[in-house]
Amino acid sequence: MPALRLLLAIALGLLVSACASLPDRVERVGSTALTDTEGTHLGQVLRPELAAHPGTSGIYPLGEAKDAFAARILLAQAAERSLDLQYYIWHGDTTGQLLWEAIWQAAERGVRVRLLLDDANTGGLDPILAALDAHPNIEVRLFNPFANRKFRLADLGDFSRLNRRMHNKSFTGDNQMAIVGGRNVGDEYYGADLNVGFQDLDVLAVGPVVREVSAEFDRYWNNESAYPLASLLGPAPKDGAKLLNENWQKVRQDPKAQRYADAVRQRPLVQQVAERRIAFEWTTAQVLSDDPDKVRFSPERKDLQLRPRLTEVFGNGRRELDLVSPYFVPGLGGADALEKMAARGVKVRVLTNSFQATDVAPVHAGYARYRKQLLESGVKLYELKPGSTDVTSKDEAGRSGGVPGSSGSGGSSSASLHAKTFAVDRSRIFVGSFNLDPRSALLNTEMGVLIDSPALAQRLSGHFDSLIPDYAYQVQLQPDSTRMEWIDRSPAGGETRYTSEPGIGLLQRLWINFLSILPIESML
């Protein structure tokens, strides 16, 4: 019966799709990042260090989930002139509401807020977004939006367009400080969900690279795929502010939210910020991103893509290439490139999710097609075990605060890898939103920061040397080279070998095998 209802809904959506269309004429008032912000509080605080490190950017990794949230809240609270926020997902949960309240309070202080969201995950949020947009200092734009706001299935006839999404993530205050990385906005990204936690990585950046983040934001904000919210929804409701305050009051009264906020306030990073002693690494860094027009033109338009830049940087490694990608579907071309690197003596290691840890089964099926081929060429594969919340949040000595990810919720029952980071020759590292899959390469837009940092790159490689083998299954060929095995090592020194993929029952295995033969790889 549920399947019948779904089919009827899809059929109805297709029938009415012709009735839903985006507005033909949209008034977009162009705007750019503010440049005269050296006199702001952030500018003054950073001035001595920027002067001491001319021409370089300061980078601070945000590996722990609560630190990543604290950094965003503190940046919103410190901003005096502008906040530019760009996200693929912004949930209306505890952390989402707290950040909305923080940017509203900033707007009340006179801060100009530009909020750019991909429209794929905004279902049900129109009243909240409209209320925010109604504030004279806040403007909301939706990237590549759905035309039908109440019945999104009505847009299925426009699937080829809506299948292209903006996956970028950045948070910039006063054009002085920016956060870039893999985290969206939602409880699972910031350690506020005890049931689901994503291991992830962002970097907090200051210096010249921040202006590059702002320039990237401006390109997307002023692009014709970014629609002012008012052009899609019409006049804002008069009681919008009341709705927002009611939501925020509920969060403040929620004991779970209170405990989370207390835990965030107790993070060492908060004290470090208050005492102005964040230990930035000063180095060269640059933003790499897709052109926003990528979503409107053929996936074959390489001049609009980030992928060739990443291939140029990381495909020429001489000694070592370490890849962390939660959604890893290399495709024939990617698998061939990794095989060629391994053939010329480059140590290639990949960490991705196991079936038990992934949140997208079709992606796992897409990845599984390439496992044996990659192993035969010498590529080393690791699959994160379910609940391995410490694999990327500790350094080699077992201390917290490592790279590339976080401990998710700090105790979640279902941890999943979400960090996207690559290191080459223990000298350069990329942190951003790009997955090694066809969707990131060809369909979605992505961004990240390429950092010349032996410290961060070596720390990631060090995790592969010492920590990851204990917290992830190592997949390798059995001695006869005809079958695979999964090695489960424990920090205590024990070892278990599986000759079939751990945690997958018969029906699940049949389902994965079925998905792997479907012609859907280009959408994964």
Side-chain angles (χ1 to χ4, degrees), residues 461-512:
S461 297
H463 285 325
F464 275 97
D465 293 339
S466 58
L467 285 177
I468 288 173
D470 288 337
Y471 292 94
Y473 302 114
Q474 181 177 359
V475 189
Q476 65 181 33
L477 294 175
Q478 293 183 17
D480 62 6
S481 297
T482 61
R483 298 182 63 190
M484 294 181 293
E485 64 181 0
W486 285 256
I487 303 175
D488 181 0
R489 300 182 179 92
S490 71
E495 181 177 294
T496 304
R497 293 175 181 255
Y498 299 93
T499 56
S500 61
E501 191 166 354
I504 297 185
L506 177 60
L507 291 179
Q508 291 170 318
R509 186 171 290 107
L510 291 173
W511 176 239
I512 290 295

Side-chain angles (χ1 to χ4, degrees), residues 3 29 55 78 90 126 134 139 157 175 177 213 241 255 260 265-266 325 341 411 445 467 483 490:
V29 178
W90 193 306
D126 281 359
E139 183 178 357
N175 204 8
M177 187 174 289
V213 176
Y260 176 76
R265 282 190 288 267
Q266 294 169 14
S325 181
M341 291 186 71
T445 67
L467 285 177
R483 298 182 63 190
S490 71

Side-chain angles (χ1 to χ4, degrees), residues 79 94 102 109 125 137 145 243 258 296 312 379 406 420 463:
T94 296
R109 300 192 305 270
L125 296 180
N137 291 327
L243 168 66
Q258 292 177 359
R296 298 193 300 115
E312 179 183 350
V379 174
S406 79
K420 300 107 172 142
H463 285 325

Side-chain angles (χ1 to χ4, degrees), residues 27 35 158 164 167 170 242 286 296 328 364 388 459:
E27 182 180 353
T35 57
D158 203 10
R164 318 284 291 276
H167 197 232
S170 69
K242 178 181 177 182
Q286 62 178 307
R296 298 193 300 115
F328 178 60
H364 187 79
S388 294
R459 196 180 301 178

